């Protein structure tokens, strides 16, 4: 299989085949989601699909004429014949060459049978036959008895052998009121399957973290005082989650050790949920030796209450109370002491004054390969923002003079990517030395 240029993470050319099934309405969500995500989507409909949803629906969602016939002169109204300047499009071949991925959703029993034997009697089947260079996905949708029929199962087996990835239908009450397997999967799940497949098909040159284990810490910690109260901080986990997602998109196997946050667990990432600094420490201790690159973006509570009351602390008429705090383990410092030469370790530093001096001290004392520092007071930086403005420090010839770079304000996603690309190249250097 040859590799395509455009892939997940950037704009992708998605060719969506829609066949006759009530699940065609879910294909509208797919077309809409992908378009909104910035991908280019072309839709090919069979005659049966057009009984359920109109081509205009997809053309409107994708801003591209929907393909319905092999014998239309072109995709633009008014195209009648080719000219030397504007050669006649051979639509099914052009679309097959254009696509980075072919998704047939919903895929009826009929299209699955046709694909299994190579029939090319309409625009979709001809396009599918002409498409050869990228991933291809079938999302079956049909009555449970049609799905379980030995001939459909045989056809699906043949399709798999021919390189199709099958997103298995779900079970439940079907439109025909039979109950069982045959309901097309939800759009979110199909989108995830497409992302995963595109990632697998990306060339190594675009996947600098392929084969590596990246360990990320994220979010705040909570240090309980009693059963109803805890000490914590304003961290939202956005930076750490962006790092985990980008590491996955750059090909890594990712473990995300996360304090309590309101963010959705990123798919394809092993999320270890923790609450206290001690729990985060134990989660990291159990995984650090196996990591190639570790990025600690968590805002770990430095102290916890020395006493944790098993009952709610009552006022008992007091005007003030004194809390005694005791220090938590410094997870980054522990990792810095322990790391092997080939392990890359990146810390974060949140400062409110003397950013460079404080960050330089942390870089040296915690034995980091790189430290990403930000000032809470800088506009566009900080916990809840979607952007960050960072200063990046690397060890120089002496601890007192690290190499310092100031990066412009950027979204936490692009920043996470840039940090990881930098760490990947440091790791490559470490391996070669
Ligand atoms: N960190 C950690 N464990 C701690 C405290 C901090 O792993 N107990 C990590 C953070 O995840 C971050 C880095 O150390 O990567 C720096 O955290 P920061 O809170 O900025 O600094 P501290 O080391 O806590 O120092 P101070 O609070 O004095 O600025």
């Amino acid at each position: 299989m040859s590799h395509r240029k455009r892939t997940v993470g950037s704009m992708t050319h998605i060719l969506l085949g829609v066949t006759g099934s009530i699940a065609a309405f879910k294909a509208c969500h797919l077309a809409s989601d992908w378009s909104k995500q910035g991908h280019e989507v072309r839709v090919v409909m069979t005659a049966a699909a057009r009984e359920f949803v109109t081509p205009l629906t997809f053309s409107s969602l994708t801003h591209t004429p929907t393909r319905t016939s092999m014998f239309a002169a072109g995709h633009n109204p008014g195209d009648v014949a080719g000219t030397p300047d504007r050669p006649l499009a051979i639509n099914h071949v052009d679309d097959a060459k254009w696509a980075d991925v072919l998704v047939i959703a919903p895929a009826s029993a009929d299209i699955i049978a046709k694909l299994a034997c190579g029939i090319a009697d309409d625009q979709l089947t001809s396009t599918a036959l002409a498409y050869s260079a990228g991933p291809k996905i079938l999302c079956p949708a049909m009555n449970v008895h049609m799905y379980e029929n030995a001939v459909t199962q045989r056809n699906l087996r043949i399709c798999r052998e021919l390189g199709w990835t099958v997103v298995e239908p779900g079970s439940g009450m079907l439109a025909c009121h039979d109950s069982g397997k045959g309901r097309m999967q939800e759009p979110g799940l199909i989108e995830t399957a497409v992302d995963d497949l595109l990632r697998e098909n990306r060339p190594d040159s675009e996947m600098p973290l392929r084969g590596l284990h990246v360990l990320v810490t994220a979010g705040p910690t909570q240090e309980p005082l009693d059963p109803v109260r805890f000490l914590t901080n304003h961290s939202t986990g956005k930076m750490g989650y962006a790092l985990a997602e980008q590491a996955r998109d750059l090909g890594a196997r990712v473990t995300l050790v996360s304090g309590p946050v309101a963010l959705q667990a990123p798919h394809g990432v092993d999320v270890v949920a923790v609450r206290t600094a001690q729990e985060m420490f134990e989660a990291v201790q159990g995984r650090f030796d196996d990591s190639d690159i570790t990025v600690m973006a968590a805002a770990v509570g430095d102290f916890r209450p020395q006493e944790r009351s098993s009952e709610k602390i009552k006022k008992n008429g007091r005007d003030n109370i004194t809390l005694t705090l005791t220090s938590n383990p410094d997870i980054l410092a522990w990792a810095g002491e322990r790391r092997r030469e080939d392990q890359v370790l990146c810390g974060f530093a949140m400062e409110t004054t003397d950013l460079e001096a404080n960050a330089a001290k942390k870089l040296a004392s915690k034995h980091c390969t790189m430290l990403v520092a930000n000032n809470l007071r800088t506009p566009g930086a900080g916990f809840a923002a979607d952007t960050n403005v960072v200063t990046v420090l690397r060890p120089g010839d002496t601890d007192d003079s690290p190499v310092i770079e100031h990066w412009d304000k950027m979204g936490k996603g692009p920043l996470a990517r840039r940090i990881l690309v930098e760490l990947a190249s440091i790791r490559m250097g470490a391996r070669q030395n």
Side-chain angles (χ1 to χ4, degrees):
M1 189 180 284
S2 73
H3 293 301
R4 297 299 184 109
K5 279 194 221 103
R6 296 164 301 268
T7 45
V8 68
S10 58
M11 191 267 282
T12 305
H13 287 175
I14 301 175
L15 190 55
L16 173 61
V18 183
T19 70
S21 157
I22 182 59
F25 81 91
K26 292 189 191 169
C28 302
H29 290 280
L30 286 171
S32 168
D33 287 351
W34 281 326
S35 297
K36 283 185 195 150
Q37 288 160 15
H39 303 305
E40 264 189 54
V41 184
R42 288 185 188 174
V43 177
V44 191
M45 296 180 82
T46 62
R50 301 202 298 277
E51 298 292 327
F52 292 90
V53 183
T54 72
L56 183 60
T57 310
F58 287 108
S59 302
S60 308
L61 291 168
T62 61
H63 303 279
T64 306
T66 300
R67 284 78 167 116
T68 53
S69 164
M70 281 190 77
F71 303 108
H75 296 308
N76 298 317
D79 276 1
V80 193
T83 65
D85 295 346
R86 215 166 156 208
L88 186 65
I90 304 181
N91 297 343
H92 60 288
V93 177
D94 286 355
D95 285 347
K97 284 184 187 158
W98 169 90
D100 297 315
V101 57
L102 170 59
V103 184
I104 303 188
S108 62
D110 179 61
I111 188 91
I112 293 167
K114 285 177 172 171
L115 294 172
C117 359
I119 290 174
D121 65 349
D122 67 2
Q123 175 72 9
L124 179 56
T125 47
S126 307
T127 307
L129 201 61
Y131 175 80
S132 62
K136 44 191 189 180
I137 300 180
L138 278 178
C139 307
M142 67 197 77
N143 168 271
V144 56
H145 303 300
M146 294 169 79
Y147 182 71
E148 286 175 352
N149 193 306
V151 75
T152 303
Q153 289 303 314
R154 182 204 60 191
N155 291 337
L156 279 168
R157 217 169 27 250
I158 294 171
C159 285
R160 285 194 183 91
E161 283 164 20
L162 294 171
W164 289 89
T165 295
V166 178
V167 177
E168 294 278 340
S171 294
M173 175 67 83
L174 305 175
C176 52
H177 288 166
D178 276 346
S179 189
K181 199 165 176 180
R183 201 164 61 180
M184 187 176 94
Q185 280 299 355
E186 294 308 313
L189 211 135
I190 295 172
E191 288 165 28
T192 300
V194 170
D195 280 354
D196 290 346
L197 209 57
L198 283 169
R199 208 174 294 121
E200 278 169 30
N201 278 272
R202 288 174 79 166
D204 286 348
S205 59
E206 289 179 19
M207 303 294 264
L209 299 179
R210 186 168 271 157
L212 300 182
H213 179 207
V214 173
L215 176 63
V216 179
T217 67
T221 56
Q222 291 180 353
E223 305 299 336
L225 255 140
D226 69 11
V228 291
R229 304 179 181 96
F230 52 79
L231 302 179
T232 190
N233 57 63
H234 291 294
S235 171
T236 58
K238 282 182 182 174
M239 192 66 234
Y241 275 58
L243 283 157
E245 283 169 358
Q246 294 293 330
R248 173 203 61 200
D249 288 348
L250 291 169
R253 171 168 70 88
V254 185
T255 304
L256 173 62
V257 178
S258 173
V261 294
L263 302 173
Q264 244 193 334
H267 82 264
V269 166
D270 180 19
V271 181
V272 183
V274 296
R275 187 174 179 211
T276 64
Q278 184 60 35
E279 285 171 18
M280 187 172 276
F281 186 35
E282 284 163 22
V284 169
Q285 281 178 309
R287 293 162 178 85
F288 181 68
D289 288 351
D290 176 47
S291 81
D292 300 294
I293 295 177
T294 298
V295 189
M296 297 211 183
V300 186
D302 289 328
F303 297 96
R304 67 177 180 278
Q306 188 163 312
E307 300 287 333
R308 177 173 169 178
S309 171
S310 58
E311 303 301 336
K312 186 183 175 202
I313 299 169
K314 305 295 284 179
K315 282 197 292 294
N316 287 339
R318 291 176 290 183
D319 284 338
N320 47 57
I321 62 168
T322 304
L323 288 178
T324 305
L325 305 179
T326 188
S327 66
N328 272 327
D330 189 319
I331 307 169
L332 181 61
W334 172 87
E337 286 289 335
R338 185 178 176 85
R339 78 180 170 91
R340 301 182 306 267
E341 275 291 295
D342 64 328
Q343 278 183 300
V344 168
L345 180 63
C346 176
F348 270 72
M350 170 74 82
E351 305 293 344
T352 54
T353 53
D354 298 330
L355 180 90
E356 287 186 14
N358 283 324
K361 269 189 223 152
K362 283 179 195 171
L363 175 78
S365 66
K366 303 198 193 200
H367 306 288
C368 295
T369 325
M370 192 166 107
L371 194 100
V372 180
N374 57 5
N375 187 330
L376 191 58
R377 304 235 161 88
T378 305
F383 286 126
D386 289 321
T387 56
N388 211 341
V389 187
V390 301
T391 299
V392 176
L393 295 89
R394 305 246 344 244
D397 294 337
T398 66
D399 281 353
D400 303 337
S401 59
V403 178
I404 299 180
E405 277 180 31
H406 299 280
W407 290 3
D408 290 339
K409 175 166 131 181
M410 62 184 112
K412 285 184 174 168
L415 172 61
R417 199 176 183 85
R418 183 160 169 196
I419 290 169
L420 289 161
V421 167
E422 192 91 9
L423 296 175
S425 83
I426 294 172
R427 151 99 193 172
M428 185 93 89
R431 298 284 288 176
Q432 279 162 1
N433 287 335

